[in-house]
Amino acid sequence: MTDQRRQNKINELCKHRRIPFLLFVSVLQRVEVRPRMACPFSVVVAIDFGTTSSGYAFSFSQDSEAIHMMKRWEGGDPGVANQKSPTCLLLTPDLRFHSFGFAARDFYHDLDPEEARHWLYFDKFKMKIHSTSDLTMETELEAVNGRKVRAIEVFAHALRFFREHALKEVKDQSSSVLEGEQIRWVITVPAVWRQPAKQFMREAAYLGGLVSPECPEQLLIALEPEAASIYCRKLRLHQVLDLSLQPMTNGLNLDGPRPFDSSFRQAREQLRRSRHSRTFLVESGTGELWSELQTGDRYIVADCGGGTVDLTVHQIEQPQGTLKELYKASGGPYGAVGVDLAFEAMLCQIFGEDFIQSFKAKRPAAWVDLTIAFEARKRTAAPGRANALNISLPFSFIDYYKRHRGQSVEAALRRSNMNIVKWSSQGMLRLTQEAMNELFQPTIFNIVKHIEELMAKPEVRGVRFLFLVGGFAESPMLQKAVQKALGRTCRIIIPHDVGLTILKGAVLFGLDPTVVRVRRCPLTYGVGVLNRFVEGRHPRDKLLVKDGREWCTDILDRFVSVDQSVALGEVVRRSYTPARVGQRKIIINIYCSATDDVTYISDPGVRKCGTINLDLPEPLPQPPGAVGGAGGGVPERREIRATMQFGDTEIKVTAVDIMSNRSVRASIDFLSN
């Protein structure tokens, strides 16, 4: 097609459709494999932003084998390793930041009950980002007292808190003066999060002052199971617990009377002894465990966290040791919080849902105390445990129930006929083993079922290892269930420092983001375009006739397809032209689908999920004698070439004005729908 004919076609379509651009029919796609390079930053700081607990770690690029963990937090629970801080945040009644973590929890606990009703306490708020289908910058979070605040502000407060803590500690350990642009930040998110949630975390980091929007490369979004996988490459044999080597019957090792969780207790004891040192050394190459893997061997990382369970399937590439994702990330809201919700449902069954809701609203600090008491006991639950677990009820709970219902807590228990929960005269609920099983079983069942379904897929069969990571992986209840279901299928490996696996891996990812070479697309992405209408192939309701020419509207032009392998550095290119001379902005709608069996943007399951925004520079004057106008004029047609990357943890776009070879300000927005 000649330039003149193409321009006539562009003018005709744009005039009729009133669209601000037209996609050229020419499509370019090529692979630019990025070589592994030294980290361009002096230090990498990773923040593991979890549902129930959070923490940070860092490493200097000149000494990348040493990962420095954060200092011990102020406060905390006796007998509990405070490697992380609870993900809870406290705002003053006038919405100013007060504290985060243990400090927030303890201060809120000590407030007068009447005063506490005016403070805003947020706990486990990360779940909201996963559960909200229409996430935007205006999405709100509800504090324990019922007041609402924009979610982006709550997350920004938390990230600003980590920034201040981390920077102080990094500067304390650095012999040189560090500037802000010398630090790379890494924030972890579940792999099952979609693009809006990832963009939300990035926007919160900008608002919290971690990096500037003008330097987006300073911030990496790391996928939690992917980070764990990167760290597991470094493991040595003495740093793991291999559950598949311990056949079990009723929680006992068949080779002797040793309790099921004794090996894990030994591992925790070893970790406890080393806690005076906050520096972990990792292998410069790959660990001993990896030496058993050969090129092509595949394994699953199951990140069992507080809010979600995230599954990633990787294949090892030898000898370089890079990783290739074999199947798109999967998982769901099956984290340890499910056990907490089951406990709350049990309380509603005993005392009445109306009472529990009233108590939460009128005595919010006491409710938090009750959840903390349950959390501490939940961690000690183990299969085959003979004695009951005692949960202390706050005095205000007992008193409020008597005044609200006119009877005692003990009477409520008797009336509920719930025999698996007893009452202690010391003011405690006694949960029998049967009760704990009932609380854990639904969540654990979902986790095991999801892993089994994943392992049955053709792309995943033949898995050699299953790595259990995340805070919930510490639970002997979950360990036993996974071992029983899968212990004869593959080797089940749990790192000793299982709660810190993601954090350490995130640091390693920040030092070398090219370690994961191939990823899988979670969705099909594309834009709507016009094509020539073909009778018999295209439906009549898509027909557009203009000046005797027939066009088919709403055809989905795919960028990538669901579960497609995309290598790091692989790009998709599309060319666009403005509809009007002097146009300064092009906005292109992006559509997505969970399947690849789609033709039109109006098909079931296809939805608008974002926009590509191109801010065009002022056209340059044309030199004398140029085609399309006299000297000093402007060209009749401009070609804007957009380049999109789908192989990273976030979708990225760049653009260039072909005629002037000038960069075009380009961005992708998934939060403004």
Side-chain angles (χ1 to χ4, degrees), residues 326-339:
L326 286 183
Y327 190 77
K328 63 178 182 176
S330 61
Y334 317 133
V337 169
V339 183

Side-chain angles (χ1 to χ4, degrees), residues 342-353 355-356 367 370 393 397 429:
F343 176 64
E344 183 176 336
M346 180 180 283
L347 292 177
C348 290
Q349 189 176 345
I350 296 171
F351 302 106
E353 184 173 355
F355 168 76
I356 294 299
W367 172 255
L370 178 54
L393 283 180
F397 185 100
L429 292 179

Side-chain angles (χ1 to χ4, degrees), residues 376-390:
R377 304 309 295 155
K378 181 180 75 174
R379 292 173 180 269
T380 67
R385 183 187 175 107
N387 54 326
L389 285 172
N390 295 325

Side-chain angles (χ1 to χ4, degrees), residues 32 101 167 239 243 327 359 381 409 436 439 643 652:
E32 300 170 349
L167 284 181
Q239 294 175 312
L243 291 187
Y327 190 77
F359 179 72
V409 166
M436 293 305 293
L439 296 181
T643 301
K652 300 172 183 175

Side-chain angles (χ1 to χ4, degrees), residues 486-671:
L486 304 166
R488 300 188 185 279
T489 305
C490 61
R491 289 180 64 183
I492 302 168
I493 305 295
I494 303 180
H496 284 176
D497 51 349
V498 62
L500 300 177
T501 302
I502 292 165
L503 188 51
K504 295 177 185 177
V507 174
L508 296 174
F509 176 68
L511 291 167
D512 179 19
T514 67
V515 65
V516 181
R517 197 186 62 81
V518 178
R519 292 184 174 90
R520 294 276 181 157
C521 295
L523 296 169
T524 295
Y525 289 100
V527 296
V529 298
L530 302 174
N531 278 355
R532 292 299 295 267
F533 187 86
V534 178
E535 192 69 46
R537 183 200 300 175
H538 297 140
R540 299 295 297 180
D541 63 351
K542 299 291 183 186
L543 175 63
L544 169 68
V545 180
K546 175 64 177 175
D547 294 337
R549 293 188 180 180
E550 296 184 336
W551 301 94
C552 182
T553 63
D554 296 339
I555 290 179
L556 180 71
D557 172 51
R558 284 171 181 74
F559 294 157
V560 289
S561 298
V562 63
D563 208 30
Q564 174 184 335
S565 288
V566 184
L568 198 63
E570 188 171 339
V571 298
V572 177
R573 288 200 174 106
R574 296 291 190 271
S575 291
Y576 303 95
T577 187
R580 304 180 307 277
V581 173
Q583 184 175 328
R584 300 301 302 273
K585 192 175 187 69
I586 294 177
I587 300 176
I588 305 158
N589 291 334
I590 305 174
Y591 296 86
C592 68
S593 170
T595 69
D596 193 36
D597 186 24
V598 292
T599 305
Y600 305 99
I601 61 175
S602 56
D603 285 350
V606 180
R607 60 184 176 85
K608 176 176 173 278
C609 62
T611 57
I612 300 173
N613 303 300
L614 305 175
D615 294 318
L616 310 183
E618 191 76 42
L620 292 175
Q622 238 183 318
V627 177
V634 294
E636 292 186 14
R637 177 180 61 80
R638 299 172 71 189
E639 180 180 345
I640 308 299
R641 181 170 295 168
T643 301
M644 286 156 283
Q645 280 192 9
F646 290 87
D648 288 309
T649 57
E650 297 174 274
I651 299 174
K652 300 172 183 175
V653 62
T654 56
V656 65
D657 186 331
I658 295 299
M659 184 166 289
S660 65
N661 202 31
R662 288 188 295 170
S663 292
V664 172
R665 188 181 180 91
S667 62
I668 294 187
D669 183 11
F670 291 99
L671 285 174

Side-chain angles (χ1 to χ4, degrees), residues 161-180:
F161 168 84
F162 277 109
R163 174 185 178 274
E164 292 171 359
H165 264 256
L167 284 181
K168 183 178 185 304
E169 194 167 346
V170 167
K171 289 174 180 176
D172 286 347
Q173 295 203 30
S174 174
S175 56
S176 58
V177 178
L178 286 173
E179 301 296 332

Side-chain angles (χ1 to χ4, degrees), residues 5 8 54 80 98 152 178 207 236 250 322 332 357 433 642:
R5 286 180 60 199
N8 291 340
S54 300
V80 177
H98 181 271
I152 195 78
L178 286 173
L207 188 59
R236 306 188 63 153
N250 297 326
T322 52
Q357 296 307 319
Q433 180 63 42

